[in-house]
Amino acid sequence: MSEQLYKESLKYHKDPKPGKLSVEPSKPCNTKYELSLAYSPGVAAPCQEIYKTPAKVFDYTNKGNLVAVITNGTAVLGLGNIGPAASKPVMEGKAVLFKHFAGIDVFDLEIKSDSVEDFVKTVKSLEPSFGGINLEDLKAPECFEIEERLKKEMNIPVFHDDQHGTAIISAAALINACEIQNKSLSKIKVVFNGAGAAALSCATLFIEIGVKKENIIFCDSSGVIYKNRKENINKYKQFWASSTKARSLQEALKDADVFCGLSVAGAVRVEDIKSMAKKPIVFALANPEPEILPELAKKSCQDIIIATGRSDFPNQVNNVLGFPSIFRGALDTHATHINTEMKLAAVYALSNLAKKNVPDSVSSAYNNKKFLFGPEYIIPTPFDERVLISVTTAVAKAAMESGVAQKNITDFEKYKEDLTRLQGLKQGFIRSTINKIKNNDICNKEKPVKIIFAEGESKRILKALNTLALDKICEPTLIGNSKKIQALIKQESLKNLDNIAIISPKESPNFENYMNKFYEKRQRKAISHAEAARLMTNPYYFSAMALHCGDFDTLISGAKQNYADCLKPILQIIGAKDKQTVAGLNILLLDDKMFFLTDTTVNIEPSSQQLAQIAIQTSIVAKYYGISPRIAMLSYSNFSGNTPLSKKMKEATQLVKQYKSNLIIDGEMQGDTAVNTDILNNIFSFSDLKEPANILVFPNLASSNISYKLLKNLGKLEVLGPFLTGINKPANILQRGASVDDIINSITLSVRAARIHQSPKKHLQTIKN
């Protein structure tokens, strides 16, 4: 570690307050009544229920989401036996990873004991408190006995991550490396250097995936572990003793297919790599310095695949790919153990995931690095958000099928939604929407939703469609140059877009028809035949006319063009619905709440009539999402303003009440009043709003646009949109800087809007039911 990194790490751990963890309550405790529920006397109720039915501890406490990370500090990283206190930063770090990658709460426990008996006794006594035990940084061979005993004597999952985490990730990497190198698992010769907990566990799992025990040679600090060796041996090493004539690592590596190092830096030389079989596979997993540096290994052998434990090299074998998701699956099924079936499920889930197209969000986390299955990418990266869903569901299914689950998951699509929500409200909301579209809860799926994209040559559009392709929620058509688009698809390895439809306006058989219809529509607006022909070559006008004529169900533009230029053809060709005003809408997600902000993009100074229309049409959108609308007409004053702006909001409120007397609406009011129950009920008890508003109508574009962009960037809210409302047919305009994820969200909600447009009454009835 460099001196600079050393100092920065100390500062990171010390400021602004020591450590990396804190405890946050999941229930409010702000009033005398809430205090009586949180503690005495109310807390006695769940105590009594758990006493009568012990399994209810999962209903009334955090046990089902709580893991203990436990160590005695005898084998910490590469630092050795530094004791429990000095190991605490590592255990806190492990807790951070559990929480960040799987939403699991952790208490780290550092036990002052070198005695196996005392350690086991202490951990066993913690069973009532935790849903699982993660053993960490225990020296070998004691760690084997500790885990074996705890697994036998406890009825909750016990998992020594140093052993099994490394084994699971390495096994997934080995499967894929062998596939790339065209090697058979049952025939490869594997040489291990290092015979500690991780190495022995790797070998055990390698056998489970098809490697033959007789093809495995172990080496340690005393050389090859061979039959009848007397020095530096124990029963765990003895199990792997081979009958080879090799006595050194160098001799063992001759003609070997795979090297797996969990030992020391520099243990492998360039000449050792050259002596291996063709297309060798090298896992140099010593930390912080590997057994051989990748650049040296590649110089000696161009067709090598090499993985390390470091993030600055390709193919990082990182345990964070395993333990958070494995425990998530174990906890959610109330598994009594993490067994071999569950570990293998994780192995194959990771192996298969590496072969799929990598989302743009993952690439952006790694400075837009391109990940393609091959020698430089044999396992997923730690910041691939798909790992949680893929591994957790596989582990949960394995727990149920192998009989260790005490709770069955009956709806795995819903379970995947819940897992996605752990990674962010927005992701969970979009996954839920995709599932609803796929499950036909919106309307009968007689035909797919046809979307036309005005900017088919946008890389971000292509990447978004490639990600969504497997869900099959829409039938996309791209406007653009076919050769250019196909070249981009090939360049970005977007394999799911091989057969995507591409049209050029001039070459479209509909060009003449669209041009004539546009001329008919705009001939009294100073549009000549020639001008109509010119505009119809514009992808934004062409796509709007294609939607207007019914050849598509919705359109999306804005990835490359400014908002106003995209909006103009939509307004001219598609236009507003009768008695409605085209407006921009943003959806805000906060915890389990959904808010609708409008008008955020279209009308600079809307009139009271327009604001009333916008409020009503937004209430319809809210109902489509199962939300009972409560509307606040916002201003800088509470029911007392006399300026033109305040009066406008009051008039708009009265118009809504006149047009739709069943809607809950009030105003004008300040923003905090609109969303704060105490203010509404205690200061303005006369207000028609008795609960916080979920539709916030702003007086003008300046206030709304500034507000939603500030909230998006400064608050803990997640923001979707903007989306267009009040338009004759569903059409959406992206923000020009929209990310691939933003585009995925827009496509998904556009598909839903198109489905609703096809059958609005049926959709509302579905929600009502």
Side-chain angles (χ1 to χ4, degrees):
M1 183 190 307
S2 68
E3 184 179 352
Q4 181 183 357
L5 183 61
Y6 189 92
K7 289 179 179 178
E8 288 178 359
S9 180
L10 292 179
K11 181 176 175 58
Y12 172 84
H13 284 81
K14 185 179 180 182
D15 299 328
K17 66 177 184 178
K20 299 190 286 281
L21 301 177
S22 65
V23 176
E24 294 183 3
S26 61
K27 302 290 190 296
C29 189
N30 301 315
T31 65
K32 181 180 178 181
Y33 179 66
E34 288 171 349
L35 177 61
S36 73
L37 293 174
Y39 203 58
S40 181
V43 74
C47 293
Q48 289 174 310
E49 290 298 309
I50 295 167
Y51 178 72
K52 287 186 286 187
T53 310
K56 286 189 176 181
V57 70
F58 293 104
D59 298 330
Y60 298 118
T61 77
N62 192 34
K63 177 173 180 171
N65 194 52
L66 189 61
V67 166
V69 172
I70 306 179
T71 189
N72 59 5
T74 52
V76 181
L77 302 177
L79 304 173
N81 187 350
I82 60 174
S87 72
K88 189 170 178 63
V90 178
M91 303 309 120
E92 285 189 354
K94 195 84 170 189
V96 170
L97 301 182
F98 265 110
K99 188 67 175 180
H100 181 82
F101 288 100
I104 295 171
D105 296 320
V106 167
F107 286 131
D108 62 295
L109 301 172
E110 295 76 32
I111 298 173
K112 189 176 181 180
S113 173
D114 291 338
S115 162
V116 169
E117 192 62 41
D118 288 347
F119 190 90
V120 169
K121 185 178 179 181
T122 301
V123 176
K124 273 181 61 180
S125 69
L126 299 171
E127 183 169 341
S129 299
F130 295 96
I133 303 292
N134 183 99
L135 298 174
E136 195 76 17
D137 291 348
L138 307 173
K139 70 174 182 176
E142 290 89 338
C143 62
F144 301 117
E145 182 182 351
I146 287 171
E147 189 191 38
E148 286 171 7
R149 286 187 54 184
L150 290 173
K151 287 175 75 171
K152 288 178 183 176
E153 298 173 27
M154 297 183 77
N155 208 36
I156 58 174
V158 177
F159 187 80
H160 186 200
D161 185 50
D162 299 316
Q163 291 184 59
H164 310 298
T166 305
I168 288 164
I169 317 307
S170 298
L174 182 63
I175 290 170
N176 288 348
C178 284
E179 180 179 326
I180 294 164
Q181 301 290 58
N182 198 26
K183 292 178 183 281
S184 169
L185 286 165
S186 62
K187 295 179 181 178
I188 56 172
K189 175 186 173 184
V190 182
V191 175
F192 280 88
N193 195 46
L200 296 177
S201 187
C202 283
T204 301
L205 204 56
F206 283 8
I207 289 175
E208 294 289 343
I209 63 171
V211 178
K212 300 294 185 184
K213 182 175 181 286
E214 57 267 27
N215 292 340
I216 295 175
I217 297 175
F218 260 95
C219 302
D220 62 8
S221 57
S222 301
V224 172
I225 299 174
Y226 57 89
K227 291 187 183 298
N228 300 317
R229 196 182 88 172
K230 304 299 182 185
E231 70 277 11
N232 191 18
I233 202 79
N234 58 48
K235 66 177 182 179
Y236 303 103
K237 292 182 181 181
Q238 187 62 50
F239 176 82
W240 295 100
S242 63
S243 48
T244 178
K245 293 181 180 179
R247 291 295 181 266
S248 68
L249 172 62
Q250 285 65 41
E251 292 174 5
L253 279 173
K254 185 172 174 54
D255 296 324
D257 297 283
V258 179
F259 168 75
C260 189
L262 291 133
S263 52
V264 294
V268 175
R269 305 166 302 176
V270 169
E271 48 266 39
D272 298 328
I273 300 295
K274 289 179 178 178
S275 74
M276 294 177 70
K278 291 181 179 179
K279 296 185 175 181
I281 298 165
V282 172
F283 294 169
L285 306 182
N287 256 327
E289 294 296 325
E291 283 81 0
I292 186 169
L293 289 168
E295 55 263 34
L296 288 177
K298 288 175 183 177
K299 281 181 181 178
S300 63
C301 182
Q302 294 298 314
D303 57 4
I304 192 173
I305 289 179
I306 183 165
T308 71
R310 283 175 40 168
S311 59
D312 53 341
F313 297 130
N315 300 324
Q316 184 191 16
V317 175
N318 192 323
N319 287 18
V320 80
L321 289 168
F323 69 84
S325 302
I326 292 165
F327 266 98
R328 182 76 275 161
L331 291 172
D332 292 343
T333 54
H334 297 179
T336 55
H337 298 88
I338 294 173
N339 57 21
T340 300
E341 290 87 346
M342 295 161 74
K343 287 184 266 186
L344 285 173
V347 168
Y348 291 116
L350 287 169
S351 169
N352 292 332
L353 185 58
K355 299 169 191 174
K356 297 179 180 179
N357 282 323
V358 178
D360 195 64
S361 58
V362 178
S363 296
S364 62
Y366 291 87
N367 296 319
N368 295 315
K369 182 179 179 181
K370 192 173 177 181
F371 294 103
L372 288 174
F373 181 64
E376 298 279 287
Y377 178 69
I378 60 174
I379 43 174
T381 61
F383 286 101
D384 190 332
E385 64 270 15
R386 300 171 302 165
V387 170
L388 178 66
I389 290 89
S390 299
V391 176
T392 302
T393 52
V395 169
K397 286 178 182 177
M400 291 160 56
E401 291 166 2
S402 63
V404 297
Q406 298 178 97
K407 175 186 175 184
N408 285 336
I409 295 168
T410 55
D411 184 345
F412 270 93
E413 286 304 313
K414 174 65 169 58
Y415 183 51
K416 287 178 183 179
E417 287 178 22
D418 294 339
L419 293 172
T420 305
R421 203 167 283 113
L422 287 173
Q423 299 173 319
L425 297 170
K426 190 189 299 183
Q427 292 96 318
F429 177 72
I430 293 300
R431 174 45 54 188
S432 174
T433 302
I434 289 171
N435 288 341
K436 285 175 182 174
I437 294 167
K438 291 168 69 176
N439 294 335
N440 299 334
D441 76 333
I442 293 174
C443 69
N444 291 328
K445 198 174 182 182
E446 294 92 0
K447 59 178 184 177
V449 169
K450 297 174 72 175
I451 306 183
I452 187 165
F453 291 86
E455 298 147 323
E457 296 173 12
S458 162
K459 280 186 183 181
R460 286 171 291 141
I461 292 286
L462 295 174
K463 288 178 179 180
L465 287 171
N466 188 68
T467 299
L468 279 173
L470 296 178
D471 285 307
K472 297 180 180 177
I473 62 170
C474 66
E475 187 179 292
T477 295
L478 307 173
I479 296 179
N481 181 288
S482 180
K483 288 184 179 179
K484 187 173 181 180
I485 292 171
Q486 292 294 352
L488 285 171
I489 289 171
K490 185 177 181 181
Q491 176 187 320
E492 298 296 323
S493 300
L494 305 176
K495 299 175 184 176
N496 299 330
L497 301 183
D498 288 344
N499 299 312
I500 196 165
I502 303 170
I503 56 176
S504 170
K506 279 188 177 180
E507 297 169 6
S508 168
N510 293 318
F511 181 81
E512 289 289 330
N513 181 43
Y514 291 173
M515 180 193 70
N516 290 330
K517 285 186 180 295
F518 181 64
Y519 172 70
E520 290 172 13
K521 194 174 183 66
R522 303 291 297 178
Q523 59 186 334
R524 293 181 181 272
K525 304 281 186 180
I527 294 293
S528 65
H529 264 292
E531 180 66 1
R534 186 187 71 80
L535 287 175
M536 213 40 57
T537 63
N538 180 307
Y540 303 98
Y541 277 86
F542 185 90
S543 60
M545 186 54 73
L547 176 60
H548 174 70
C549 291
D551 295 323
F552 292 88
D553 301 303
T554 184
L555 76 80
I556 291 178
S557 61
K560 299 174 75 173
Q561 187 60 280
N562 69 63
Y563 197 92
D565 287 343
C566 293
L567 180 63
K568 186 177 179 180
I570 291 172
L571 293 177
Q572 288 183 355
I573 296 170
I574 300 167
K577 282 185 181 179
D578 185 39
K579 295 182 180 179
Q580 293 196 23
T581 298
V582 177
L585 169 71
N586 282 87
I587 298 173
L588 271 62
L589 305 174
L590 176 64
D591 298 330
D592 59 346
K593 301 179 183 69
M594 183 183 291
F595 298 90
F596 302 85
L597 273 61
T598 190
D599 166 26
T600 55
T601 59
V602 179
N603 300 284
I604 296 173
E605 284 291 345
S607 67
S608 58
Q609 181 70 39
Q610 288 175 313
L611 288 166
Q613 292 170 338
I614 290 168
I616 292 168
Q617 67 203 39
T618 306
S619 73
I620 296 169
V621 175
K623 288 177 183 177
Y624 284 138
Y625 284 98
I627 303 294
S628 297
R630 298 186 297 274
I631 308 168
M633 308 299 280
L634 300 180
S635 178
Y636 58 83
S637 56
N638 284 312
F639 311 104
S640 59
N642 288 311
T643 64
L645 187 146
S646 298
K647 289 178 179 178
K648 177 175 73 171
M649 300 312 285
K650 286 180 183 178
E651 289 170 9
T653 303
Q654 293 308 311
L655 286 171
V656 173
K657 290 181 177 181
Q658 180 184 325
Y659 299 149
K660 296 286 181 180
S661 58
N662 61 324
L663 283 178
I664 300 171
I665 182 171
D666 215 339
E668 88 305 353
M669 66 176 65
Q670 295 175 350
D672 57 344
T673 302
V675 296
N676 191 309
T677 305
D678 289 339
I679 296 176
L680 285 169
N681 293 338
N682 297 327
I683 302 176
F684 303 109
S685 57
F686 57 82
S687 173
D688 292 336
L689 282 176
K690 304 303 179 186
E691 297 178 71
N694 46 36
I695 295 176
L696 305 175
V697 182
F698 289 81
N700 52 39
L701 187 61
S703 59
S704 62
N705 195 272
I706 290 168
S707 295
Y708 102 77
K709 289 187 175 180
L710 282 174
L711 286 168
K712 182 176 182 178
N713 288 281
L714 298 180
K716 292 184 178 179
L717 294 155
E718 299 211 45
V719 181
L720 293 161
F723 306 101
L724 288 175
T725 66
I727 200 156
N728 260 318
K729 291 188 175 183
N732 272 318
I733 303 171
L734 303 163
Q735 294 290 313
R736 194 152 36 163
S739 67
V740 172
D741 282 346
D742 290 333
I743 296 170
I744 289 170
N745 299 341
S746 187
I747 294 170
T748 302
L749 296 183
S750 295
V751 171
R752 181 163 190 174
R755 282 287 186 219
I756 292 168
H757 182 78
Q758 291 169 354
S759 186
K761 290 182 180 178
K762 194 169 190 177
H763 180 69
L764 284 174
Q765 187 61 43
T766 300
I767 289 176
K768 190 176 179 181
N769 292 340

